Amino acid sequence: MPGNWGHGGRVPGAMAPAIDGIRITMESALTARDRVGVQDFVLLENYTSEAAFIENLRKRFKENLIYTYIGSVLVSVNPYKELEIYSKQHMERYRGVSFYEVSPHIYAIADNSYRSLRTERKDQCILISGESGAGKTEASKKILQYYAVTCPASEQVETVKDRLLQSNPVLEAFGNAKTLRNDNSSRFGKYMDVQFDYKGAPVGGHILNYLLEKSRVVHQNHGERNFHIFYQLLEGGEEDLLRRLGLERNAQNYQYLVKGQCARVSSINDKSEWKIVRKALSVINFNDDDVEELLSIVASVLHLGNVQFAKDEQGNAQVTTENQIKYLARLLSVDSTVLRESLIHKKIIAKGEELNSPLNQEQAAYARDALAKAIYGRTFSWLVRKINKSLSYKGADMHSLGNASVIGLLDIYGFEVFQHNSFEQFCINYCNEKLQQLFIELTLKSEQEEYESEGIAWEPVQYFNNKIICDLVEEKYKGIISILDEECLRPGEATDWTFLEKLEDTVKNHPHFVTHKLGDQKTRKCLGREEFRLLHYAGEVNYSVKGFLDKNNDLLFRNLKEVMCNSGNPIVHQCFDRSELTDKKRPETAATQFKNSLAQLMEILMSKEPSYVRCIKPNDAKQAARFDEVLIRHQVKYLGLIENVRVRRAGFAYRRKYEIFLQRYKSLCPETWPNWDGRAMDGVAVLVKSLGYKPEEYKMGRTKIFIRFPKTLFATEDALEVRKQSIATFLQSRWRGYHQRQKFLHMKHSAIQIQSWWRGTVGRRKAAKRKWAVEVVRRFVKGFIYRNQPRCPENEYFLDYIRYSFLMTLHRNMPKSVLDQSWPVPPPSLREASELLREMCMKNMVWKYCRRISPEWKQQVQLHKDRRNKNVSPVLYERDCNGIIILHHPAYALIITYC
């Protein structure tokens, strides 16, 4: 789908960073022009060559560069894939930047229009054109998204932004359809005004719609679909909703959805799109009742398509599908009997008397289809009005509204040439003729005004003036539309054939008109008898007159209007005004309505400062990276792009303000480098003299320099690139030396910093240690003074230290055997504890000793024990098992006890 489009990545070497390192200067790509082409077709050397134009387009498309300028006109090629150039960061690159300072982009057009609106206080418009599938709708979305992100915001402004953005999916659902060329083709023209307050914030909007393709409601060509909303409702609608509407999920059950034989399309997800539309409806202020009433009308169109007729005995039509009539009556809130009779009868007023004339089967089918088209077409217009109401400015400050400025977005069908072209293509191509006429006039006017403001002589430009074709279509009394209306209104039997005959009689001598009857033998071979050919500015188009009168009349029988006027559905009641029943004046035909609305559109566009986006479709298969040269050549021709380049190049190919030109090229002249102190104009004069420009190659305006030939600019750009390389080499060598010096200084500085840090660390450690020592001495002395007092905060440290010291001394000087009677002298506070420890120590040593004695020695001890018990004198001494002499030692009693 054309929704998957964007811009490719940056081309290495083709773009140079600006001062802020982000912005990309346009002219820098000139040095890579052999590979990626030029970014402005005006700079093509062979600017009149269509082949050179297409080759430049091909180079850029190959590099994913989908945008190219023709002066201030943007040419956009649909890439049919996602490209990463629509982020907020990309928006910031183009925000507030001079138009030619950055590479071509849709954001540059949007920002340029916005800045012109703010600085010049003049309304702007952006005209987006191209054939179906070229990406027009996506381009308008990108512009709206850019304004939504970059413009000033408040709570109310955010609401308006949301509604502006969310109006798109609703209008696409009801006004877009799948065609052979595009899965999301706009089948109506749309002009949207975005209103900005004095602060530059979007505060409102207004939409005008043109020529909805109502015939699609009742008929689709093979491979095409009806409007999206029908399929979205069936696929995504809740079961309860479908039950209330009397619908089934299968689109094959509805006659208005099967004519194209492609109800399902793999590339379209109707279910997810339904969710988006439902959410969007709530954002743009639709309540539940509004949605229910709107969907009832959508469902009624489907039921109307299933109404079938049969002949009775008199050959008159009779309704055979009574169930559908019941659904219609309930959904439209009308009387079922009256509706049925209105579908098979026609009310005629003759001499003030009303008569109901029965219809045959074919006429009844026509009346049914006419009602379906009328209901859908008027509902679409009501929907646009409803959206406009939600977008309208609601601020309390009416003075701010009076000062509001607008930017208009025109997203309208491009020139269409099909195998079979009918009334719709005729109107669409007439619209494109008018837009081309306006485009050339405004382009020439803009060029002439710029030349005059700069004091440069204007040279008249030769171009094809398509006014002769516009007059052929719209001229009063003698134009095709006038002749068509005359045939529709005249009494008698008027048919498509009589219309063609009238054309042949009236405009047979016009150089841009031919029919089978008027053409030569060669023309007759490729032109049918029911066709006429117009030689448009874009090429020849054959139109079949079949259906011209019916589509132009767009009549709805009076009795069907009466039924709709009595409808209880509020939307239908608003769409069918009762005043139509009493108005004796015949309503305007579809072609006249379109001509008048187109004239109003031209007035709107003429009152604004225009910008242009020309969209191109690279292939019919919707494939990425595929460049169909034949198809593109056709579009380049009918978009008038070569003509536009020729008009722009009629004088000077390149123009820039003196300040910008001098800033870019001042390094090429010793007198202007590195700085020029005088006027920029004088600096440019010195610069071009140094560069050797010849008088015929340039002109000096009041604020700009004008260069006639691209080769002059290319030579200057190439010289600048050489200069950049030499400066870069010089700076690189200087940078290396500077870098080495900086590296040495950095290392020296680092060493000094490390030394300083280490010295500070050592000093802090010493100071901390001294502070700690002082605190220890102080507490020790204080504890010594209070040593004989009970334990308290003043002596606890001293006492703990004394205890610790005694225990450590005891640990180092413990007795080694039971015969060792040594024991450290305890401090007074630990005497009791010392005795306990000494006793425990002696018992422990005796216990260990006893565990090591032999059995013999045990007997000796036992004998000694017995003697003592009998008061026999023990031996004076004995030896233990280790040969130790044991006398009457204090531990001896313990040994005897333990043994």
Side-chain angles (χ1 to χ4, degrees):
M1 290 180 66
N4 297 330
W5 71 314
H7 200 308
R10 291 174 56 182
V11 180
M15 302 176 184
I19 295 171
D20 61 2
I22 297 177
R23 294 176 184 166
I24 303 169
T25 57
M26 174 190 166
E27 287 87 346
S28 59
L30 295 177
T31 56
R33 58 186 176 272
D34 291 337
R35 180 167 57 85
V36 301
V38 293
Q39 299 190 40
D40 193 334
F41 285 110
V42 174
L43 298 178
L44 287 173
E45 191 65 38
N46 190 6
Y47 66 92
T48 59
S49 168
E50 187 180 79
F53 187 99
I54 293 175
E55 181 58 27
N56 189 70
L57 209 59
R58 185 203 305 275
K59 286 179 179 179
R60 296 183 62 74
F61 183 74
K62 184 180 178 182
E63 296 290 338
N64 285 330
L65 302 173
I66 65 168
Y67 294 122
T68 313
Y69 288 138
I70 303 176
S72 59
V73 176
L74 182 70
V75 178
S76 169
V77 183
N78 192 341
Y80 288 117
K81 63 180 179 181
E82 294 287 351
L83 298 174
E84 302 297 328
I85 57 156
Y86 300 105
S87 63
K88 289 185 179 180
Q89 183 184 9
H90 280 88
M91 292 181 185
E92 289 300 327
R93 293 181 184 177
Y94 289 86
R95 186 178 182 180
V97 180
S98 179
F99 188 70
Y100 292 109
E101 285 185 21
V102 284
S103 56
H105 200 291
I106 191 73
Y107 292 159
I109 292 287
D111 187 76
N112 190 59
S113 295
Y114 180 73
R115 283 188 295 110
S116 298
L117 178 84
R118 299 281 288 135
T119 56
E120 300 173 13
R121 289 293 173 184
K122 185 173 182 181
D123 291 347
Q124 306 288 313
C125 65
I126 301 175
L127 281 66
I128 307 170
S129 60
E131 76 167 50
S132 180
K136 302 185 298 297
T137 302
E138 288 299 318
S140 64
K141 287 181 186 177
K142 299 301 181 193
I143 293 171
L144 286 176
Q145 288 168 1
Y146 180 81
Y147 293 145
V149 171
T150 61
C151 292
S154 65
E155 186 176 347
Q156 180 183 350
V157 169
E158 287 299 329
T159 302
V160 173
K161 286 180 180 180
D162 289 342
R163 289 178 179 176
L164 282 170
L165 294 176
Q166 293 302 321
S167 66
N168 273 316
V170 175
L171 290 175
E172 286 182 18
F174 284 85
N176 289 25
K178 181 206 178 301
T179 65
L180 292 174
R181 298 188 174 188
N182 182 6
D183 288 348
N184 189 36
S185 177
S186 297
R187 306 319 299 163
F188 70 104
K190 181 179 71 174
Y191 175 80
M192 172 186 281
D193 268 337
V194 183
Q195 298 172 341
F196 296 84
D197 64 9
Y198 68 97
K199 297 177 183 177
V203 293
H206 190 268
I207 298 171
L208 297 175
N209 62 297
Y210 300 95
L211 195 67
L212 177 72
E213 189 185 21
K214 292 185 293 185
S215 60
R216 182 169 293 272
V217 174
V218 300
H219 176 77
Q220 307 91 45
N221 294 325
H222 183 77
E224 298 190 348
R225 298 206 313 176
N226 210 320
F227 293 103
H228 292 323
I229 187 62
F230 296 112
Y231 308 94
Q232 292 171 359
L233 174 59
L234 295 181
E235 285 289 327
E238 301 81 3
E239 292 293 342
D240 185 54
L241 173 64
L242 295 182
R243 188 176 63 256
R244 292 198 305 273
L245 300 178
L247 297 177
E248 300 173 5
R249 290 215 182 271
N250 189 0
Q252 300 294 333
N253 294 338
Y254 301 97
Q255 294 299 311
Y256 283 165
L257 303 184
V258 297
K259 300 290 180 67
Q261 298 181 4
C262 67
R264 288 185 179 272
V265 182
S266 59
S267 58
I268 301 176
N269 189 334
D270 292 309
K271 193 171 185 178
S272 65
E273 292 296 328
W274 166 257
K275 294 178 181 177
I276 294 172
V277 172
R278 286 292 284 113
K279 180 182 176 182
L281 285 170
S282 63
V283 171
I284 57 177
N285 216 21
F286 275 68
N287 58 39
D288 291 341
D289 290 340
D290 292 333
V291 174
E292 188 80 15
E293 291 158 7
L294 181 62
L295 296 180
S296 294
I297 295 174
V298 174
S300 71
V301 172
L302 294 179
H303 287 301
L304 198 54
N306 283 1
V307 173
Q308 300 297 317
F309 304 97
K311 295 179 182 178
D312 63 8
E313 296 176 355
Q314 288 79 32
N316 299 327
Q318 295 295 324
V319 176
T320 60
T321 50
E322 194 63 32
N323 197 40
Q324 302 299 329
I325 296 295
K326 291 179 180 178
Y327 277 127
L328 283 168
R330 181 167 60 82
L331 293 170
L332 297 175
S333 298
V334 296
D335 185 275
S336 59
T337 304
V338 176
L339 176 61
R340 185 194 312 105
E341 291 302 310
S342 298
L343 285 171
I344 57 177
H345 290 85
K346 177 181 178 181
K347 182 175 286 188
I348 301 174
I349 300 177
K351 297 181 180 181
E353 185 179 351
E354 290 185 358
L355 301 173
N356 281 329
S357 173
L359 302 176
N360 60 32
Q361 192 172 355
E362 184 179 346
Q363 290 171 334
Y366 172 85
R368 175 201 63 199
D369 291 347
L371 179 60
K373 290 188 289 183
I375 289 174
Y376 193 86
R378 296 189 186 205
T379 300
F380 185 80
S381 297
W382 174 89
L383 180 64
V384 172
R385 292 195 299 271
K386 176 76 173 178
I387 292 173
N388 284 337
K389 187 177 179 180
S390 75
L391 293 176
S392 62
Y393 182 75
K394 298 178 178 64
D397 186 1
M398 296 307 293
H399 178 69
S400 298
L401 179 60
N403 290 334
S405 303
V406 301
I407 294 179
L409 293 177
L410 179 64
D411 171 10
I412 204 161
Y413 13 65
F415 199 87
E416 290 190 348
V417 184
F418 299 138
Q419 187 172 0
H420 176 79
N421 302 290
S422 187
F423 178 77
E424 290 83 7
Q425 283 68 48
F426 171 76
C427 292
I428 287 170
N429 293 342
Y430 162 53
C431 173
N432 277 270
E433 287 286 358
K434 294 291 289 182
L435 289 173
Q436 176 69 7
Q437 184 183 26
L438 178 74
F439 173 62
I440 293 296
E441 286 179 4
L442 293 179
T443 301
L444 287 174
K445 180 183 176 184
S446 174
E447 286 284 291
Q448 189 171 358
E449 286 176 352
E450 184 174 19
Y451 277 53
E452 289 174 356
S453 67
E454 291 293 327
I456 294 176
W458 169 253
E459 303 171 5
V461 178
Q462 296 297 323
Y463 68 96
F464 171 66
N465 189 344
N466 67 335
K467 184 178 184 298
I468 186 173
I469 303 174
C470 294
D471 289 344
L472 170 62
V473 175
E474 66 185 8
E475 190 176 4
K476 202 169 184 180
Y477 304 121
K478 294 189 295 183
I480 294 175
I481 291 178
S482 293
I483 296 170
L484 178 60
D485 285 353
E486 186 178 332
E487 279 299 294
C488 290
L489 300 177
R490 76 175 178 83
E493 191 66 29
T495 65
D496 295 324
W497 282 98
T498 61
F499 162 62
L500 182 59
E501 291 170 358
K502 188 73 175 288
L503 280 180
E504 289 172 338
D505 291 339
T506 309
V507 295
K508 59 185 177 183
N509 295 322
H510 199 285
H512 290 266
F513 175 86
V514 66
T515 64
H516 185 275
K517 178 181 177 181
L518 301 175
D520 54 24
Q521 188 173 0
K522 183 179 178 181
T523 303
R524 290 176 181 176
K525 290 181 180 180
C526 54
L527 192 61
R529 294 181 182 275
E530 77 287 353
E531 294 180 332
F532 67 91
R533 175 182 293 172
L534 294 184
L535 278 67
H536 290 280
Y537 77 92
E540 300 174 346
V541 183
N542 297 343
Y543 298 100
S544 171
V545 296
K546 186 178 179 181
F548 257 62
L549 264 65
D550 283 342
K551 292 175 181 178
N552 189 46
N553 269 322
D554 196 23
L555 291 178
L556 183 64
F557 294 151
R558 180 183 179 85
N559 47 343
L560 287 173
K561 282 185 182 179
E562 289 177 351
V563 174
M564 293 300 106
C565 287
N566 292 322
S567 171
N569 184 305
I571 298 176
V572 176
H573 192 72
Q574 291 176 52
C575 291
F576 290 86
D577 192 348
R578 188 168 290 278
S579 62
E580 293 182 36
L581 302 177
T582 57
D583 190 359
K584 302 290 185 179
K585 186 179 178 182
R586 185 183 177 94
E588 288 184 334
T589 62
T592 298
Q593 288 180 33
F594 185 66
K595 183 179 78 169
N596 294 338
S597 62
L598 198 56
Q600 293 174 3
L601 177 63
M602 293 301 115
E603 290 180 11
I604 292 172
L605 298 179
M606 285 291 287
S607 67
K608 293 175 171 56
E609 195 70 30
S611 299
Y612 303 94
V613 179
R614 300 298 201 216
C615 299
I616 292 178
K617 181 169 67 172
N619 60 78
D620 277 327
K622 305 162 193 161
Q623 294 179 358
R626 180 177 169 185
F627 191 90
D628 187 339
E629 187 172 326
V630 174
L631 178 64
I632 289 174
R633 180 179 288 109
H634 174 71
Q635 294 174 82
V636 167
K637 182 178 180 182
Y638 76 60
L639 285 170
L641 300 182
I642 300 295
E643 186 79 4
N644 185 211
V645 175
R646 206 169 61 79
V647 168
R648 179 79 187 205
R649 273 291 300 275
F652 296 87
Y654 177 90
R655 64 211 65 180
R656 287 294 182 275
K657 287 189 175 293
Y658 290 128
E659 293 80 5
I660 296 173
F661 188 85
L662 182 62
Q663 179 65 29
R664 181 166 182 80
Y665 299 112
K666 64 181 180 180
S667 62
L668 299 178
C669 175
E671 296 178 52
T672 57
W673 177 258
N675 292 306
W676 174 260
D677 295 329
R679 293 190 310 162
M681 181 177 180
D682 298 334
V684 171
V686 172
L687 177 58
V688 297
K689 183 178 179 181
S690 174
L691 292 172
Y693 281 16
K694 297 177 182 178
E696 65 272 16
E697 291 181 330
Y698 74 101
K699 290 286 185 183
M700 301 286 285
R702 293 189 177 96
T703 64
K704 297 179 183 178
I705 179 173
F706 289 71
I707 298 177
R708 188 178 297 276
F709 307 113
K711 63 181 180 181
T712 305
L713 177 65
F714 293 157
T716 307
E717 193 65 30
D718 291 342
L720 177 64
E721 188 63 23
V722 172
R723 176 67 173 165
K724 281 181 180 178
Q725 292 175 359
S726 64
I727 292 175
T729 303
F730 171 74
L731 291 177
Q732 194 174 23
S733 63
R734 292 291 299 272
W735 171 251
R736 287 196 187 113
Y738 171 77
H739 182 67
Q740 292 295 332
R741 288 192 298 274
Q742 288 295 107
K743 189 175 180 180
F744 172 76
L745 292 174
H746 179 70
M747 291 173 65
K748 183 178 179 181
H749 178 67
S750 298
I752 293 171
Q753 282 188 321
I754 292 171
Q755 286 179 344
S756 173
W757 173 81
W758 178 246
R759 286 172 183 159
T761 301
V762 171
R764 285 188 294 274
R765 286 178 182 176
K766 286 182 178 180
K769 195 171 184 180
R770 285 195 296 269
K771 184 178 180 182
W772 174 80
V774 169
E775 180 64 18
V776 169
V777 171
R778 184 186 64 79
R779 293 172 68 187
F780 197 83
V781 170
K782 199 168 187 179
F784 180 78
I785 294 172
Y786 289 91
R787 66 185 181 278
N788 295 321
Q789 300 294 327
R791 185 178 181 86
C792 62
E794 285 78 10
N795 63 10
E796 62 180 359
Y797 179 79
F798 178 79
L799 295 178
D800 289 344
Y801 178 76
I802 292 299
R803 184 184 293 110
Y804 173 78
S805 298
F806 170 72
L807 292 174
M808 292 305 296
T809 302
L810 181 60
H811 174 71
R812 290 191 294 268
N813 300 290
M814 289 284 288
K816 300 296 188 292
S817 71
V818 294
L819 301 178
D820 188 357
Q821 297 186 47
S822 63
W823 189 262
V825 179
S829 61
L830 294 177
R831 284 174 186 164
E832 185 179 353
S834 176
E835 288 301 322
L836 291 172
L837 288 172
R838 187 172 186 177
E839 184 180 349
M840 289 172 62
C841 179
M842 182 59 69
K843 288 181 178 181
N844 186 51
M845 287 191 296
V846 169
W847 180 73
K848 287 182 179 179
Y849 176 80
C850 292
R851 290 186 64 186
R852 296 197 303 268
I853 63 177
S854 63
E856 292 80 6
W857 174 235
K858 232 176 210 185
Q859 288 181 358
Q860 294 270 351
V861 172
Q862 185 63 38
L863 180 62
H864 187 273
K865 186 176 180 182
D866 292 342
R867 288 178 178 176
R868 289 184 64 181
N869 292 337
K870 296 177 180 179
N871 294 323
V872 179
S873 298
V875 291
L876 294 177
Y877 68 88
E878 294 179 5
R879 293 180 182 272
D880 67 5
C881 60
N882 294 321
I884 299 174
I885 297 174
I886 302 176
L887 299 175
H888 293 285
H889 192 275
Y892 191 71
L894 285 173
I895 293 172
I896 292 172
T897 303
Y898 277 99
C899 288

